[in-house]
Amino acid sequence: MDNQTFRDFFLGFIKIHILYHAAKEPIYGQEFADELNRHGYKISFGTLYPIFHRLEQKGLLIAENKNVKGKVRKYYIITEKGNEILKEARLKAKELVDELFEN
Amino acid sequence: MDNQTFRDFFLGFIKIHILYHAAKEPIYGQEFADELNRHGYKISFGTLYPIFHRLEQKGLLIAENKNVKGKVRKYYIITEKGNEILKEARLKAKELVDELFEN
DNA sequence: TACATTAATATCGAATTCCGATAACGATAT
DNA sequence: ATATCGTTATCGGAATTCGATATTAATGTA
């Protein structure tokens, strides 16, 4: 599968995963991108950061700046609203994927 | 979940579902849109038809015009390449969704 | 003090995609 | 002939995506 098709199909999944990870612990862009890379998923910062910004604007994440070894990191954690959306999205995602395996 | 968020998260899933359905039987736009609607998923024709066109251009679907009761329908079926992509996408989708339920 | 380095976020402009609305199509019915 | 019907195509504006580049702020080092 070429990269363009991959992103076309899976960028939405990745957005849900952002919520999922931000529900478990605070996350920040660089680290999240690295983890995606480790799993073979590439996403440009020019795509990733605006996604964080929009999720924040929609009230699904909140950001907090933190100084770590002199570098400013922007940690995101999920909001209550974000958690509701996450649960809903997770169920829908499961339904849709289960269907793909129905004969 | 508002409609915009929904589409943002799930349009990729829907594209995979297009391949899935076109692998089972010939599908056409109007009918596919109706079925999405029945399941509560709304997608505009201005979005749907270009998706079909691009999947065709990429060689994942092929189209065949058919006259049904005097109306021209464009039936799409999956290609061999499309089938490979579908299988790959389905596995990745399953992995990603399973992860969402870990812990 | 100045300057380079580093980890990280922000933003740019071009290309692509998405969307609701509108147009177009071609066959049948009136 | 023209109205209607089911269907596909396309329009223009908005939003998103992308790779590349700029920016930030603290630290290290000369």
Side-chain angles (χ1 to χ4, degrees), chain A residues 4 28-30 46 49 53 71 73-74:
Chain A
Q4 201 214 330
Y28 65 100
Q30 192 80 239
Y49 284 119
H53 299 164
K71 306 300 180 308
R73 283 184 195 165
K74 201 161 195 172

Side-chain angles (χ1 to χ4, degrees), chain A residues 31-97:
Chain A
E31 177 197 50
F32 188 79
D34 288 348
E35 208 200 310
L36 283 179
N37 267 318
R38 250 177 278 123
H39 289 73
Y41 305 121
K42 281 171 198 162
I43 181 173
S44 141
F45 287 118
T47 303
L48 186 59
Y49 284 119
I51 288 173
F52 276 116
H53 299 164
R54 285 195 299 273
L55 290 174
E56 188 184 12
Q57 278 178 343
K58 285 182 189 168
L60 309 189
L61 296 179
I62 45 177
E64 188 183 351
N65 285 344
K66 207 171 177 181
N67 264 289
V68 179
K69 294 182 192 168
K71 306 300 180 308
V72 178
R73 283 184 195 165
K74 201 161 195 172
Y75 276 102
Y76 290 92
I77 58 175
I78 202 163
T79 63
E80 194 158 335
K81 181 176 173 190
N83 237 315
E84 286 166 21
I85 301 289
L86 170 58
K87 282 178 194 157
E88 195 184 340
R90 187 164 61 174
L91 282 180
K92 271 196 212 294
K94 179 162 172 43
E95 281 175 22
L96 284 164
V97 168

Side-chain angles (χ1 to χ4, degrees), chain B residues 5 8 12 14 16 38 41-42 71-72 77 79 85 89 92 99 103:
Chain B
T5 302
D8 196 22
I14 288 175
I16 299 173
R38 248 177 280 123
Y41 306 122
K42 280 168 200 165
K71 306 301 180 309
V72 178
I77 59 175
T79 63
I85 300 287
K92 271 197 209 296
E99 249 189 76
N103 165 7

Side-chain angles (χ1 to χ4, degrees), chain B residues 9-21:
Chain B
F9 286 176
F10 293 106
L11 190 52
F13 283 75
I14 288 175
K15 288 170 185 173
I16 299 173
H17 266 260
I18 289 175
L19 291 185
Y20 170 69
H21 284 288

Side-chain angles (χ1 to χ4, degrees), chain B residues 20-73:
Chain B
Y20 170 69
H21 284 288
K24 293 205 305 183
E25 62 200 342
I27 60 173
Y28 65 100
Q30 191 80 242
E31 177 198 52
F32 189 79
D34 287 348
E35 206 199 311
L36 284 178
N37 267 318
R38 248 177 280 123
H39 289 72
Y41 306 122
K42 280 168 200 165
I43 183 172
S44 138
F45 287 117
T47 303
L48 185 58
Y49 284 119
I51 288 173
F52 276 117
H53 299 164
R54 286 195 299 273
L55 290 174
E56 188 182 13
Q57 277 177 342
K58 286 182 188 165
L60 310 188
L61 295 180
I62 45 176
E64 188 183 351
N65 286 343
K66 206 171 178 182
N67 265 289
V68 180
K69 292 183 194 166
K71 306 301 180 309
V72 178
R73 283 185 195 164

